[in-house]
Amino acid sequence: MPVLNAWKRGNVMLNRAAILDKLFEVNPESFNSLCLEVFHYQYQNNSVYREYCSLMHTDMAAVLHYTQIPFLPVELFKSHKVVTGNGAIQKIFSSSGTTGLQTSRHYITDLSIYETSFTKCFHQFFGDPADYCLLALLPSYLEREDSSLVYMTMQIAGQSNHPMNGFFLIEYEILFNRLVALVKSQQKTLLIGVSFALFDYANKYPFPLKHTRIMETGGMKGRGAELTRKALHELLKQAFGVQTIYSEYGMTELLSQAYMMEDGKFHAPSWMKILIRDVNDPLQLLGTNAVGAINIIDLANLDSCAFIATADLGKTFVDGTFE
């Protein structure tokens, strides 16, 4: 292909190992060039993405900035095998879904990339997992063998290796007793849970959780009265006597996460970026403080597709955070 040959002649290696060496060290100055490398690499080695770019009449030679890269609709993870390269499949992560509805499937050919991504991200925003006792309240997720959230949480718990680490479905009393003991021992603790489970637990076992960070991962849909994230956080703050409720933004189709921190905004690692597009024109990107549909660049998706158009709504801020 003439365009790809021209790209190679520009001294940019369409080489997976070379990209991977730079992936987690990317900074604002190198982000654009690395995005272009990943874009051309995936165009060459991902038939689903290449076909989509062709349908979008993408002029490869005209793509000079990451804002010009086509974003693959996330729905295609439900109907297509979105894989870059020909590596053997090590794991398939599937999204949760209502019985009878088709779910997304993310085919993973290199689990080490996912593990590096969530480990570096955790260190960046929360510190060393070894400092924490990790308690996970993840009903519905724990009942599945293909949840990327459970895989990440179990790996982080393994890095913590605290003897009181635990995973819970609805064993609220056991969880409560463990939290009481951890508070008494002044052990730094992370309680991570799906929204509806944290909501139920907070109503049944309110208790001041000193030395504890609480993180919700979303998941109120179909679980009774819908709450906004803000309303849920206020309820959890009152129930547990904490100043901040943290939140994780991730999805089956991604290998990176963003976290809501003390400022109430989501922060992403350097290899992940959020862009906002017009809901009526998928090719029109919006500026900061404008509400629109979320496009995600996740360079950790090196072996699937790093450029994803989601159905979520949000807005970005000048400092790179988003909500």
Side-chain angles (χ1 to χ4, degrees):
M1 297 181 181
V3 172
L4 292 176
N5 289 336
W7 184 258
K8 290 178 181 178
R9 287 197 298 271
N11 295 321
V12 177
M13 297 178 62
L14 296 182
N15 181 290
R16 181 183 180 278
I19 294 172
L20 190 55
D21 282 344
K22 297 179 284 188
L23 200 159
F24 296 111
E25 305 303 323
V26 68
N27 56 47
E29 290 70 34
S30 62
F31 186 79
N32 186 62
S33 62
L34 187 57
C35 281
L36 294 177
E37 286 188 60
V38 173
F39 167 54
H40 281 264
Y41 171 72
Q42 293 189 333
Y43 180 89
Q44 185 180 35
N45 295 282
N46 185 326
S47 59
V48 173
Y49 187 53
R50 183 168 59 251
E51 182 180 358
Y52 178 74
C53 289
S54 297
L55 290 172
M56 297 296 289
H57 304 291
T58 304
D59 181 355
M60 299 293 290
V63 177
L64 303 175
H65 194 265
Y66 62 78
T67 55
Q68 300 169 305
I69 294 173
F71 285 77
L72 188 74
V74 72
E75 291 81 9
L76 289 181
F77 279 79
K78 295 181 179 180
S79 57
H80 292 73
K81 186 176 181 179
V82 183
V83 176
T84 297
N86 54 9
I89 305 300
Q90 295 182 355
K91 185 82 172 176
I92 301 174
F93 292 127
S94 298
S95 62
S96 57
T98 305
T99 302
L101 294 181
Q102 193 168 11
T103 59
S104 290
R105 292 165 68 84
H106 195 172
Y107 297 85
I108 308 300
T109 59
D110 188 348
L111 276 168
S112 69
I113 295 180
Y114 185 37
E115 292 164 1
T116 299
S117 178
F118 62 64
T119 298
K120 283 183 173 288
C121 201
F122 191 95
H123 274 266
Q124 178 178 340
F125 294 114
F126 299 102
D128 190 341
D131 294 337
Y132 291 87
C133 175
L134 191 147
L135 304 178
L137 184 57
L138 302 173
S140 72
Y141 286 87
L142 286 172
E143 295 164 330
R144 295 165 37 217
E145 297 180 353
D146 53 4
S147 166
S148 58
L149 173 62
V150 170
Y151 185 89
M152 177 187 74
T153 307
M154 286 186 168
Q155 293 293 316
I156 294 293
Q159 296 175 37
S160 158
N161 201 33
H162 193 280
M164 294 184 70
N165 285 347
F167 288 76
F168 302 87
L169 292 170
I170 55 173
E171 304 94 341
Y172 291 164
E173 185 175 357
I174 297 174
L175 174 60
F176 173 74
N177 291 333
R178 191 164 303 188
L179 280 166
V180 170
L182 290 166
V183 168
K184 287 182 178 179
S185 66
Q186 300 185 10
Q187 168 62 47
K188 192 174 181 180
T189 301
L190 175 64
L191 171 61
I192 180 171
V194 292
S195 301
F196 76 87
L198 287 174
F199 175 80
D200 287 345
Y201 178 76
N203 283 320
K204 295 175 181 177
Y205 289 92
F207 180 75
L209 294 180
K210 298 179 181 179
H211 320 292
T212 302
R213 288 183 170 184
I214 301 166
M215 182 193 302
E216 57 90 7
T217 67
M220 286 294 292
K221 190 175 181 180
R223 298 286 179 167
E226 294 282 343
L227 286 178
T228 64
R229 174 175 276 118
K230 182 178 180 180
L232 174 65
H233 283 202
E234 287 303 316
L235 183 149
L236 296 178
K237 287 178 186 178
Q238 292 179 17
F240 300 128
V242 296
Q243 296 295 315
T244 299
I245 301 295
Y246 300 86
S247 185
E248 184 240 12
Y249 179 76
M251 57 184 66
T252 298
E253 301 85 356
L254 302 176
L255 293 185
S256 299
Q257 306 79 34
Y259 290 103
M260 179 184 286
M261 304 303 290
E262 289 85 353
D263 59 3
K265 299 176 183 178
F266 283 99
H267 296 246
S270 62
W271 56 91
M272 181 183 184
K273 184 177 286 291
I274 304 297
L275 305 174
I276 303 298
R277 71 181 189 276
D278 190 302
V279 293
N280 297 313
D281 182 358
L283 300 181
Q284 178 64 45
L285 294 180
L286 305 177
T288 56
N289 293 298
V291 176
I294 291 178
N295 283 356
I296 300 176
I297 299 175
D298 181 8
L299 296 179
N301 271 19
L302 182 59
D303 298 321
S304 54
C305 184
F307 312 98
I308 304 296
T310 79
D312 294 340
L313 294 178
K315 65 179 177 180
T316 58
F317 303 98
V318 292
D319 61 358
T321 61
F322 68 99
E323 66 178 28

